Amino acid sequence: MKYGIAIFPSKKVQDEANSYRKRYDPHYALIPPHITLKEAFEADESEIESTIIPELKEIAKNTQPFSYGIYKVSSFSPVTNTIYLKIEPSEEIFGLNEKLHSGPLHEEKDYAFVPHITIAQKLTDAEFSDVYGSLNMTKFDIQDEVDRFQLLYQLENGAWSVYETFRLGKG
């Protein structure tokens, strides 16, 4: 089964992201706005229960809640026509990402970690140019708190559902 690890931002941030995702993100119905901490990976249920969940509990216990800011959009162009709300880099979010790729959770990353919330993807070149051009001039001033992360699993229809939530700083 496919699993992933993500942070779901506050309702305020989700509402902001969804105001764009409704129109520009074909994955809108499959998963709420999120910050991917660990890309999709394969595991079986026994591995999840015996190794991964205990490790995630330990990581959460040893990670304090933190905040982050969003001030602008950015994109993964020219690699893909994806537009996202850019999470201001912080030691806390990079540290959490690092912990989720070490020890029993170790695997090579396909890409460098870029903390973000996708708001548009799979756009044609013309759509991308138009949407990014207008959003790039929009200034955001969003502050949000992270006090938990979620282990997700993928359903047969491609949607993602929460398997378990891990609260930061809690034993």
Side-chain angles (χ1 to χ4, degrees), residues 102-165:
S102 60
L105 300 170
H106 176 75
E107 64 185 350
E108 293 305 312
K109 298 179 195 177
D110 292 337
Y111 307 98
F113 177 56
V114 177
H116 69 281
I117 300 170
T118 299
I119 57 173
Q121 60 185 323
K122 296 184 168 52
L123 302 172
T124 66
D125 289 345
E127 285 173 321
F128 172 81
S129 181
D130 185 44
V131 174
Y132 187 65
S134 66
L135 286 177
N136 200 23
M137 292 185 279
T138 305
K139 294 289 176 237
F140 296 87
D141 188 9
I142 300 170
Q143 299 296 315
D144 204 21
E145 302 290 320
V146 176
D147 66 354
R148 68 194 71 193
F149 62 83
Q150 280 78 18
L151 173 64
L152 311 170
Y153 65 98
Q154 192 171 34
L155 304 169
E156 285 181 19
N157 68 359
W160 289 87
S161 191
V162 173
Y163 189 94
E164 191 164 330
T165 296

Side-chain angles (χ1 to χ4, degrees), residues 1-160:
M1 187 176 266
K2 267 194 179 167
Y3 294 88
I5 300 172
I7 294 168
F8 290 113
S10 67
K11 181 179 181 334
K12 182 182 110 185
V13 176
Q14 289 196 35
D15 289 348
E16 180 76 28
N18 277 334
S19 71
Y20 302 104
R21 291 183 73 224
K22 271 186 277 209
R23 290 176 52 198
Y24 306 121
D25 186 356
H27 296 171
Y28 173 76
L30 301 177
I31 188 168
H34 62 282
I35 304 165
T36 301
L37 290 172
K38 188 172 182 69
E39 296 286 339
F41 61 94
E42 292 286 337
D44 59 45
E45 188 132 9
S46 66
E47 189 181 1
I48 290 292
E49 293 296 332
S50 68
T51 308
I52 294 175
I53 287 180
E55 180 68 13
L56 295 178
K57 284 180 178 172
E58 193 61 26
I59 290 169
K61 184 173 85 174
N62 294 311
T63 304
Q64 291 306 307
F66 59 93
S67 58
Y68 64 89
I70 299 170
Y71 307 107
K72 65 181 189 173
V73 298
S74 193
S75 83
F76 289 124
S77 176
V79 179
T80 67
N81 286 348
T82 299
I83 302 170
Y84 57 85
L85 296 174
K86 183 181 190 309
I87 306 296
E88 273 303 299
S90 69
E91 283 181 34
E92 294 89 351
I93 200 160
F94 278 95
L96 181 55
N97 175 261
E98 222 29 68
K99 291 176 191 174
L100 294 170
H101 286 84
S102 60
L105 300 170
H106 176 75
E107 64 185 350
E108 293 305 312
K109 298 179 195 177
D110 292 337
Y111 307 98
F113 177 56
V114 177
H116 69 281
I117 300 170
T118 299
I119 57 173
Q121 60 185 323
K122 296 184 168 52
L123 302 172
T124 66
D125 289 345
E127 285 173 321
F128 172 81
S129 181
D130 185 44
V131 174
Y132 187 65
S134 66
L135 286 177
N136 200 23
M137 292 185 279
T138 305
K139 294 289 176 237
F140 296 87
D141 188 9
I142 300 170
Q143 299 296 315
D144 204 21
E145 302 290 320
V146 176
D147 66 354
R148 68 194 71 193
F149 62 83
Q150 280 78 18
L151 173 64
L152 311 170
Y153 65 98
Q154 192 171 34
L155 304 169
E156 285 181 19
N157 68 359
W160 289 87

